[in-house]
Amino acid sequence: MNIVLLIKDFAIGKKFDKSGMPNQSGGERHGLNHAKELIRLGHHVTIMTKKKYWFTKVREAYDSGIDLIRLHGSIRWFEVFLRLLTTHRKTDAFYIIGRPKFAVWSILFAKLTGKPVTLALTGKAEIFGNNKSFREKLFASCDNYIATTHEIKESFIKDAHIDPKKISVIPHGIDTKMYPFISYEDRCIAKQQAGLDSVIPNLLFCARVAPNKGILIALEVWKQIYKHYPDSKFYIVGGGDNTLLDEARRVSEHCNNSIIVVGEVDDVTPYHRLSDVYIFPSEHEGLPTSLLEAMSSGLATVCSDIGGNNDLIFDDVTGYRVPVKDVDAYINKISYLFDNPSIRIEMGKCASSYVEMHASYDVVSKEMEITVTNQRIEPIDMLSEKPVISNAK
């Protein structure tokens, strides 16, 4: 099938902004990965997005054969219709990620031509209300909806009044082959090769270094953890605000340089191998990709009790959820996992198995394809089954 995927921003230019923050959004990464997966499954995919900079091309073949089209400013609505009437008149289905304003014109076109439309939301902030504006009426008229978390599904029903029979819970997924399970023995070997003590546990933060990701909470937690585990290391992996990265380095100096500020990397798996517990103190999330990756590698997690975290981390099974900004609760749970290697190992095994069975591309992509191509008869909830520690691999 010929599928048009619409997303607000895509491949916009520079990798980082002036503050040091990565420019690529989670939605953009999901759009790229979903396009690649649909192509792998035999479909032709066109991505339509905003043209934000003069130096970007209007149309180009992008990564793995994606037909990428950038739409101009105030005439995006006209360009959408023009493309669909000419160069993309053979479009069979539409897939919208997020709520780009210009996407409503594709919905209108689809209604006029009888083509299916699927709307996927990856964060609760993207949900729309019920005041029945022109755009909201169109967004509420799609054939299928994908919620990446139960929180988003509930908002679809409560706030947008979408028929539950149209809503499937499908995580955006990851390539679990890129984040393989790491055994305790392999972690010990990796530590030894890095010149570290093989049995001393280490902590990992791997996300954007930004205020809403809870990095300042993580640093407060480490100040106390360090007092009890002075030989442990705390790895901070990810690009972000330069002032926050400098603050992490300052705290490290007061903790005998025990914090390793890595910054942005293309491959996070070496730090998965060196770590034993993952801390994820974000203040708000959809379904966090970095958490899925850490779980896939076999890390027990201590995270904030919010959003999509609640679909992945279950107390005493895959880790622990604690109240947002509760430093003492983070210290308590991380210390417990540091002191009990057998428990964190079993939690890591369970976490890895759960991601492989419910959030790997091997299972997610087919369900996403069935939905987008309008073959779904009944909605699916891929996160309805809760992990059980005895089922760990």
Side-chain angles (χ1 to χ4, degrees):
M1 294 182 70
N2 294 311
I3 299 171
V4 169
L5 189 158
L6 299 104
I7 189 168
K8 181 180 178 181
D9 295 314
F10 189 83
I12 59 174
K14 295 181 180 179
K15 191 172 183 179
F16 303 96
D17 65 20
K18 292 181 179 179
S19 73
M21 288 291 291
N23 272 320
Q24 188 184 54
S25 68
E28 183 180 337
R29 289 194 298 272
H30 304 329
L32 174 60
N33 292 333
H34 286 196
K36 286 182 176 180
E37 286 298 291
L38 287 168
I39 290 172
R40 181 179 66 82
L41 293 170
H43 302 281
H44 179 273
V45 178
T46 297
I47 291 180
M48 291 189 182
T49 188
K50 293 165 63 176
K51 181 172 170 53
K52 296 184 68 174
Y53 301 102
W54 65 268
F55 57 81
T56 54
K57 296 180 180 178
V58 173
R59 187 177 185 183
E60 63 179 303
Y62 187 89
D63 201 348
S64 301
I66 298 168
D67 181 16
L68 176 58
I69 292 176
R70 297 184 178 92
L71 308 168
H72 294 77
S74 60
I75 62 167
R76 290 189 186 105
W77 67 272
F78 176 73
E79 284 192 75
V80 170
F81 265 99
L82 184 62
R83 290 282 185 186
L84 294 176
L85 287 170
T86 57
T87 58
H88 292 74
R89 62 185 180 277
K90 294 184 179 180
T91 296
D92 300 301
F94 296 90
Y95 181 28
I96 305 170
I97 297 180
R99 288 196 302 116
K101 292 181 180 179
F102 61 85
V104 297
W105 302 103
S106 67
I107 300 174
L108 181 59
F109 183 90
K111 293 298 175 186
L112 294 173
T113 56
K115 304 294 174 62
V117 183
T118 298
L119 174 64
L121 298 187
T122 60
K124 188 178 178 182
E126 297 171 335
I127 205 69
F128 46 97
N130 61 349
N131 61 12
K132 301 302 179 184
S133 68
F134 168 72
R135 285 194 175 91
E136 288 178 349
K137 285 181 181 179
L138 285 173
F139 280 125
S141 69
C142 296
D143 300 279
N144 306 292
Y145 295 86
I146 293 176
T148 53
T149 70
H150 288 109
E151 182 182 50
I152 295 172
K153 178 183 177 180
E154 291 167 6
S155 293
F156 265 137
I157 297 169
K158 179 182 177 181
D159 300 321
H161 300 283
I162 303 300
D163 183 350
K165 294 181 180 179
K166 290 185 174 184
I167 308 168
S168 289
V169 178
I170 303 176
H172 49 69
I174 63 169
D175 184 353
T176 54
K177 298 180 184 66
M178 293 181 63
Y179 308 96
F181 174 76
I182 303 164
S183 68
Y184 177 77
E185 293 74 19
D186 286 341
R187 292 184 198 279
C188 290
I189 292 171
K191 290 178 187 178
Q192 289 175 336
Q193 291 174 341
L196 303 173
D197 190 306
S198 63
V199 298
I200 292 178
N202 298 320
L203 185 65
L204 174 66
F205 173 98
C206 185
R208 288 191 179 192
V209 180
N212 63 3
K213 293 296 184 179
I215 184 61
L216 294 177
I217 295 297
L219 292 174
E220 288 301 315
V221 169
W222 184 252
K223 290 177 185 178
Q224 300 304 315
I225 293 290
Y226 168 74
K227 292 179 181 179
H228 299 284
Y229 308 92
D231 295 321
S232 294
K233 300 295 183 184
F234 179 24
Y235 294 97
I236 296 179
V237 180
D241 189 298
N242 289 325
T243 59
L244 292 174
L245 290 168
D246 288 341
E247 174 64 12
R249 296 183 183 101
R250 187 191 67 79
V251 173
S252 182
E253 289 177 0
H254 287 81
C255 297
N256 196 29
N257 297 315
S258 57
I259 301 176
I260 313 301
V261 182
V262 178
E264 188 78 4
V265 295
D266 293 327
D267 181 11
V268 301
T269 54
Y271 302 98
H272 288 163
R273 300 178 72 85
L274 294 172
S275 305
D276 301 271
V277 177
Y278 184 63
I279 181 173
F280 192 68
S282 187
E283 296 178 16
H284 54 81
E285 287 291 336
L287 195 74
T289 300
S290 59
L291 177 53
L292 287 171
E293 294 167 356
M295 292 173 68
S296 181
S297 76
L299 287 171
T301 295
V302 182
C303 69
S304 50
D305 189 11
I306 57 165
N309 293 356
N310 298 342
D311 289 312
L312 299 174
I313 300 302
F314 301 90
D315 287 349
D316 296 312
V317 182
T318 54
Y320 296 103
R321 300 196 309 267
V322 301
V324 178
K325 298 183 179 182
D326 191 334
V327 171
D328 290 338
Y330 276 105
I331 294 168
N332 179 270
K333 294 303 183 184
I334 292 170
S335 298
Y336 178 73
L337 291 173
F338 270 24
D339 290 338
N340 294 275
S342 62
I343 291 175
R344 69 174 186 256
I345 290 168
E346 287 306 308
M347 286 183 176
K349 289 178 181 178
C350 187
S352 182
S353 293
Y354 187 71
V355 171
E356 185 173 350
M357 289 188 293
H358 299 280
S360 69
Y361 286 153
D362 289 341
V363 293
V364 165
S365 297
K366 188 61 182 177
E367 299 297 344
M368 181 262 295
E369 178 199 29
I370 290 171
T371 306
V372 171
T373 57
N374 206 34
Q375 300 176 65
R376 186 164 299 288
I377 298 174
E378 296 289 337
I380 187 172
D381 186 343
M382 297 188 70
L383 297 175
S384 61
E385 181 182 342
K386 307 307 178 187
V388 179
I389 197 75
S390 60
N391 290 339
K393 63 185 180 183

